[in-house]
Amino acid sequence: MLADTFVWKRRCRTVWRVFIVEDDPDMREFFESGVARSTHLCVAASAGTVAQALALLDEADPPDVLLTDLQLPDGSGLEIIRAVRQRFPACESLVISMFGDEDNVLAAIEAGALGYIHKDAAPDDIAQTILDMKAGASPISPMVARRVLAKYVSLQSTRTEVAEPQPQVLADERPTLSRREQEVLELISRGFSYQEIARLQRVSVHTVQTHIKNLYGKLAVHSKVEAVFEATRMGLLPRASR
């Protein structure tokens, strides 16, 4: 059975592909069964170490979701989050967490994760949390959200005090966006979820993800927040959209 655990399961094609990294076999099986409860999700692969996860990323089709523990036998799940963020910008990451683990969750969010799932979550909650994230939500507690906001405000204040005036981005230095990419960018800046954008644009959610992945590449960013910030800085969005 273990021989089948750390390979890509290529049957996943029409649903969100979830890549699970958890070193405890029982816990890994628990999360796999939670994912399998939704017809909109499938376990594309699972791994138990950083090395196994990175090796799978080298040979895999892009996953849609990374669900990873942070405390792994050969390193930190943060390394996997950063690798996924760099290689597959459209893939969104969630952390497997424990209560009272806010410091590690905060580090994971800074690395690119959008939220977390507790290890004692109910199986149905696992699937729903992933689906909520794919719909545009960020599953984090109010406590963690306040800490993220406080750190962001502190960093912005520091930058304002020491930063020199930034050179204006010239029009010919801005990336060229297609009409659809510009529309998706504007909807992102207004806070619409992937599903809402798909409905407004009358396209599939996967098509929206493709547009967003292209936007990330052109703007050289790895998240929706960074995309809006860079697009505003470059003059592709009005300042009021920030």
Side-chain angles (χ1 to χ4, degrees):
M1 183 173 180
L2 285 178
D4 296 330
T5 301
F6 307 120
V7 296
W8 287 101
K9 302 175 173 106
R10 300 188 180 278
R11 289 174 295 176
C12 302
R13 283 295 178 267
T14 60
V15 293
W16 301 119
R17 296 163 47 85
V18 182
F19 181 21
I20 300 174
V21 186
E22 165 61 58
D23 63 305
D24 183 284
D26 292 335
M27 188 60 64
R28 186 168 59 245
E29 185 176 352
F30 171 73
F31 278 101
E32 288 179 354
S33 65
V35 169
R37 284 175 174 261
S38 172
T39 57
H40 301 290
L41 303 171
C42 76
V43 179
S46 60
T49 67
V50 173
Q52 290 166 346
L54 296 180
L56 284 175
L57 290 176
D58 285 335
E59 65 181 43
D61 293 331
D64 300 301
V65 176
L66 169 67
L67 180 58
T68 182
D69 196 0
L70 295 179
Q71 305 297 326
L72 297 168
D74 58 341
S76 171
L78 295 178
E79 184 177 350
I80 305 170
I81 294 172
R82 295 187 184 106
V84 166
R85 185 179 179 185
Q86 181 178 17
R87 301 181 198 186
F88 309 120
C91 179
E92 298 178 321
S93 298
L94 284 171
V95 172
I96 298 171
S97 174
M98 299 176 66
F99 283 108
D101 200 25
E102 286 83 4
D103 287 339
N104 285 330
V105 168
L106 190 61
I109 291 173
E110 291 174 347
L114 294 182
Y116 60 90
I117 295 177
H118 282 299
K119 285 196 173 185
D120 60 350
D124 287 337
D125 291 341
I126 294 170
Q128 190 58 53
T129 299
I130 294 172
L131 293 174
D132 287 346
M133 181 184 69
K134 297 308 293 182
S138 293
I140 58 177
S141 70
M143 180 184 297
V144 173
R146 288 188 67 178
R147 292 182 65 175
V148 172
L149 181 59
K151 187 160 188 176
Y152 174 79
V153 171
S154 175
L155 288 173
Q156 288 297 102
S157 176
T158 301
R159 289 171 181 169
T160 300
E161 291 174 0
V162 303
E164 297 179 356
Q166 295 294 314
Q168 188 174 10
V169 178
L170 300 178
D172 57 359
E173 295 176 345
R174 297 170 189 157
T176 301
L177 305 183
S178 69
R179 177 182 60 83
R180 185 72 75 177
E181 288 169 351
Q182 182 68 39
E183 292 172 350
V184 169
L185 175 62
E186 292 172 1
L187 291 170
I188 289 173
S189 73
R190 292 163 58 188
F192 286 95
S193 69
Y194 289 173
Q195 290 182 338
E196 290 169 333
I197 295 173
R199 185 170 64 252
L200 289 170
Q201 297 290 319
R202 298 182 179 179
V203 297
S204 70
V205 174
H206 285 285
T207 298
V208 172
Q209 270 208 311
T210 298
H211 290 314
I212 291 174
K213 182 178 180 180
N214 292 339
L215 279 169
Y216 286 178
K218 291 181 178 182
L219 297 173
V221 298
H222 302 283
S223 71
K224 288 184 280 189
V225 172
E226 290 176 335
V228 173
F229 177 84
E230 280 299 307
T232 303
R233 186 183 68 83
M234 292 178 177
L236 297 169
L237 286 172
R239 291 283 169 180
S241 298
R242 288 183 63 180

